Amino acid sequence: MTDFQARLTPDFDLSARNSLALKARSRFGLGITDAAWLPELFASAADLSLPVRILGGGSNVVLAPAYDGITAIMALAGRNIIEQNAAGILVEAQAGETWHDFVAWTVGQGLGGIENLAGIPGTVGAAPVQNIGAYGAELADHFVSLRAYDRHTGQRRDFSRADCAFAYRDSIFKRQPDRYIVLSIRLLLPAHWTPNLNFAGLADLADSGALTPEQVMARVLALRGAKLPDWRVNPNAGSFFQNPIVPPAQAAPILAEFPSAPNFPQADGRLKLSAGWLIEKSGLKGFRLGPVGMSDRHALVVVNHGGAEQGDVAALSAHVKATVQQRFGVQLHEEPIFL
Ligand SMILES: Cc1cc2nc3c(=O)[nH]c(=O)nc-3n(C[C@H](O)[C@H](O)[C@H](O)COP(=O)(O)OP(=O)(O)OC[C@H]3O[C@@H](n4cnc5c(N)ncnc54)[C@H](O)[C@@H]3O)c2cc1C
């Protein structure tokens, strides 16, 4: 056994490291606190003939009960202001930072830009993977670049915003999950901030006079707390299905039956429907299957009522997809990653 292999923790328990609280173990686990370890990690994995997967905060995954490989937990720390000029304030954060703490750090310095994304669980490094979004904003809005480790070449590579191919809950990192490990990101926060109040629950803040990023963040956190079940109390992975984007012809019968069904026109002419609304109207809000179920507070959230494993979540997901497909002819797709 090499010195590096001695750092691997055998039979690593991940049950408390995923927000769904699924029973999950990994043959080995390792916290990555230094990016220079990555070449040694992959050399060791090759020696041991084991696969490697990356985990951040475990808030967007449905973990297998027993992973026969090495789970590398991203723990690179640090955040700072790189540069301040007329264009704005360039900030950088390492991938293992907690996303919300990073947002609160910027807001605490009076810097606006990412306050609508406050309260999203997980790490900075996972934020670009699905281009996190909430309350009318998404990571891509103020994103400049990131640095990643390329598992194919063993080199670090910088990605511009265009290189990341960001889309709705999507990026190149999501499409090539076994290739890049995000190490750090850079955002440009505006020198002259204007609040983004496009989301319905924020619009009335426009009447409050001179607003600060802190006030908007406080409202976002209050809205999130009122809407979503707390994953520490009712283990969950947030929105379990993406909002489906469909051609107008597919939405037409739904809108004919329910003229007030939520629908959001997209730039390409298609319509984004609400997955939560479709699930609720399919009669599945609060539905339970074994130890898991759809939340009775929010139809889009899968909750672990205790003792669940990946297979329980997969069975519930399949049932929900089939029911919505049958009722509305719309195919749902899971947002969390089965890992
Ligand atoms: C209660 C709740 C509310 C949520 N609300 C929102 C929301 O409003 N908007 C939203 O967009 N999401 C939301 N989410 C989902 C989740 O918080 C985000 O997707 C978050 O970015 C996941 O971060 P994580 O560190 O937990 O990633 P993990 O769950 O650990 O990993 C997710 C994926 O990213 C990969 N990954 C992790 N780190 C890296 C890295 N450094 N480099 C490369 N790949 C990596 C993993 O391999 C995995 O495939 C919510 C989740 C919960 C539980």
Side-chain angles (χ1 to χ4, degrees), residues 242 244-246 250 321-322 324-325 329-333:
Q242 295 177 0
I245 300 176
V246 301
Q250 198 180 352
K321 286 204 263 189
V324 169
Q325 174 72 50
V330 174
Q331 180 66 49
L332 294 181
H333 297 282

Side-chain angles (χ1 to χ4, degrees), residues 227-272:
K227 204 171 113 187
L228 290 168
D230 184 346
W231 62 270
R232 294 172 198 84
V233 182
N234 303 110
N236 71 80
S239 303
F240 197 82
F241 296 99
Q242 295 177 0
N243 288 322
I245 300 176
V246 301
Q250 198 180 352
I254 303 172
L255 295 173
E257 186 180 351
F258 298 100
S260 61
N263 68 96
F264 309 93
Q266 304 296 291
D268 62 5
R270 293 184 300 161
L271 291 173
K272 190 195 273 185

Side-chain angles (χ1 to χ4, degrees), residues 47 115 128 229 231 338:
D47 264 5
E115 60 284 347
W231 62 270
F338 283 66

Side-chain angles (χ1 to χ4, degrees), residues 32 57 84 131 136 151 167 237 290:
I32 301 291
Q84 204 155 350
N131 180 25
R151 293 170 63 158

Side-chain angles (χ1 to χ4, degrees), residues 145-213:
S145 64
L146 65 73
R147 182 158 291 178
Y149 177 81
D150 182 346
R151 293 170 63 158
H152 288 190
T153 64
Q155 304 291 317
R156 293 180 198 194
R157 181 181 152 190
D158 290 332
F159 288 74
S160 68
R161 184 159 89 161
D163 294 336
C164 297
F166 288 129
Y168 169 61
R169 300 298 173 271
D170 199 23
S171 72
I172 188 173
F173 311 105
K174 191 163 182 181
R175 275 174 251 150
Q176 298 187 34
D178 293 326
R179 178 139 193 202
Y180 302 110
I181 299 172
V182 178
L183 302 175
S184 62
I185 70 167
R186 287 186 172 193
L187 306 179
L188 186 68
L189 304 177
H192 302 287
W193 173 74
T194 48
N196 170 357
L197 305 177
N198 295 328
F199 189 84
L202 302 177
D204 67 289
L205 284 177
D207 307 328
S208 354
L211 266 183
T212 63

